[in-house]
Amino acid sequence: MYRQAGAACLILAVMTSLHSPASAQPPTIHPAVVSSQFIYDSAPYPSCHASTIVETAPGQLVAAWFGGTHERHPDVGIWVARFEGGKWQDAIEVANGEQPSGPRLPTWNPVLFQPPSQPLHLFYKVGPNPREWWGMLKTSTDGGRTWSEARRLPEGVLGPIKNKPVVLADGAWLSPSSTEGENGWQVHFELSRDAGKTWQIIGPVEKGPFLEAIQPSILFHPNETLQALCRSRQGVVAQTWSKDGGKSWSALTAAELPNPNSGTDAVTLADGRQLIVYNHSAHRPYEAKGNRWPLDLAISDDGLTWRRVVTLETEPNKAGYAYPAIIQAADGLVHITYTWDRKRIKHVVVDPKKL
């Protein structure tokens, strides 16, 4: 009962803080923002979502997203663009949901992953909805210019559900994943010790009091401690911790950041600080979702206490600013991509030394 009361109080405190005078201050352009641009100005489809970004070699970036008539439409495919010569090249469709027999199905949530000394991996999902989708994979040996044939992941393995896998100290790959099935929202992890040939499913993570979550992202702390931050339905970012390098995970608890039932992403910086990109808003219990604006960065030294440092977007629009992805490149700069009103994908570069 005490744990439940404590979690409920923290959720209430986070939601209440959104209406304090401090959170109502107008945003200013932060000196840490190096650049901000759209990856494309026009596309052969009206709607896009769920971007991902990766550095394949120093200074070489690849981004991907899904685009089509609208989310869930059978014509939605996976589009990829490369950053060369100081600008984003035209995107190409590299995957779709065409079936050997039967109707074409929508694709979902691409995730790019560049493991050391391995091909570039593109994970994505195919299926009529998130309850019935399955994991797919393509690889590229030339930095995203050309791609292998698609292959389906093993039964029960979905791959990273929205955010990037990480490479552990022993070289294993740990993929953050989740499901939206009969048992509600559940977080789990998928571990590979043989460069993706086979996978071990870890979890699901215990939901914890008042919390259901999906779409985790993984952070590193000292002494083999890992932290995963997740989207939740309860108005807060949810978190789970591992003290044994990802072999087991604690029950979900509420972090001190709000969440309007929208995706987040986070990265451990080279200097050990933790950086999350998220919507600094929540939703009332009677609402399915809250506003997907503003879009912010928050930073932490320990993963427990967070400081809101940069507002990337603030003006309300129909679909908001959503599903961000974040990485730190070899030169130390942070790259962020996100959906801009479901119409375009935006790319922002931030210097973390100025945070």
Side-chain angles (χ1 to χ4, degrees):
M1 178 64 73
Y2 177 80
R3 287 179 59 198
Q4 292 182 346
C9 288
L10 181 52
I11 291 171
L12 179 60
V14 170
M15 294 179 68
T16 301
S17 71
L18 298 178
H19 303 284
S20 67
S23 66
Q25 294 176 355
T28 57
I29 298 176
H30 198 284
V33 177
V34 176
S35 65
S36 179
Q37 64 177 315
F38 291 110
I39 290 181
Y40 64 84
D41 291 320
S42 62
Y45 46 81
S47 179
C48 64
H49 197 36
S51 66
T52 175
I53 188 169
V54 72
E55 186 179 43
T56 57
Q60 298 180 17
L61 302 173
V62 180
W65 57 89
F66 70 70
T69 299
H70 57 75
E71 184 176 319
R72 297 176 182 260
H73 195 283
D75 69 6
V76 171
I78 305 299
W79 293 75
V80 168
R82 293 179 294 110
F83 188 81
E84 287 187 350
K87 64 179 182 179
W88 287 100
Q89 305 300 306
D90 291 341
I92 59 172
E93 187 182 47
V94 303
N96 59 48
E98 292 182 357
Q99 302 301 300
S101 61
R104 176 169 166 166
L105 297 170
T107 60
W108 309 74
N109 294 17
V111 178
L112 290 165
F113 174 51
Q114 180 62 76
S117 304
Q118 293 285 337
L120 174 62
H121 283 52
L122 171 64
F123 296 94
Y124 61 101
K125 271 63 68 184
V126 172
N129 56 64
R131 293 174 300 282
E132 300 175 88
W133 65 21
W134 58 86
M136 299 289 293
L137 172 66
K138 284 193 166 194
T139 58
S140 172
T141 58
D142 55 11
R145 292 173 177 81
T146 62
W147 294 88
S148 69
E149 292 295 318
R151 68 177 178 87
R152 186 165 174 167
L153 296 177
E155 186 68 28
V157 176
L158 293 173
I161 219 68
K162 175 195 172 292
N163 298 322
K164 56 197 173 294
V166 297
V167 180
L168 302 179
D170 62 2
W173 301 355
L174 187 63
S175 175
S177 196
S178 57
T179 55
E180 304 175 44
E182 295 178 356
N183 297 317
W185 284 10
Q186 291 188 303
V187 168
H188 72 271
F189 299 88
E190 297 169 358
L191 179 72
S192 178
R193 299 191 179 279
D194 53 11
K197 296 182 178 66
T198 61
W199 294 89
Q200 172 194 353
I201 296 177
I202 299 172
V205 173
E206 183 182 341
K207 291 183 180 182
F210 300 107
L211 287 170
E212 288 193 53
I214 54 173
Q215 301 172 355
S217 52
I218 301 170
L219 299 174
F220 291 87
H221 293 271
N223 303 317
E224 290 196 315
T225 297
L226 303 176
Q227 178 186 16
L229 300 176
C230 317
R231 166 185 177 177
S232 89
R233 285 173 161 164
Q234 283 71 41
V236 293
V237 173
Q239 62 184 346
T240 176
W241 293 79
S242 173
K243 301 295 185 181
D244 54 13
K247 299 181 182 68
S248 62
W249 293 82
S250 67
L252 293 172
T253 58
E256 63 171 31
L257 293 169
N259 182 256
N261 191 1
S262 185
T264 69
D265 195 14
V267 65
T268 300
L269 299 175
D271 62 12
R273 293 180 297 169
Q274 315 295 346
L275 187 63
I276 184 174
V277 55
Y278 70 110
N279 296 115
H280 194 85
S281 63
H283 62 94
R284 301 298 183 185
Y286 54 83
E287 295 175 329
K289 295 179 181 178
N291 295 329
R292 291 182 169 182
W293 66 78
L295 185 69
D296 285 271
L297 293 174
I299 200 161
S300 175
D301 293 323
D302 57 8
L304 296 171
T305 302
W306 293 88
R307 180 168 55 93
R308 186 182 177 194
V309 287
V310 179
T311 296
L312 300 174
E313 301 279 2
T314 187
E315 292 300 319
N317 62 30
K318 183 177 180 180
Y321 315 97
Y323 270 52
I326 187 169
I327 61 169
Q328 186 174 32
D331 63 3
L333 294 178
V334 168
H335 294 263
I336 303 159
T337 60
Y338 54 90
T339 304
W340 191 92
D341 199 24
R342 292 275 182 151
K343 297 175 182 176
R344 288 187 279 182
I345 301 299
K346 202 163 190 182
H347 171 219
V348 176
V349 181
V350 171
D351 183 352
K353 293 180 180 178
K354 298 180 179 180
L355 297 176

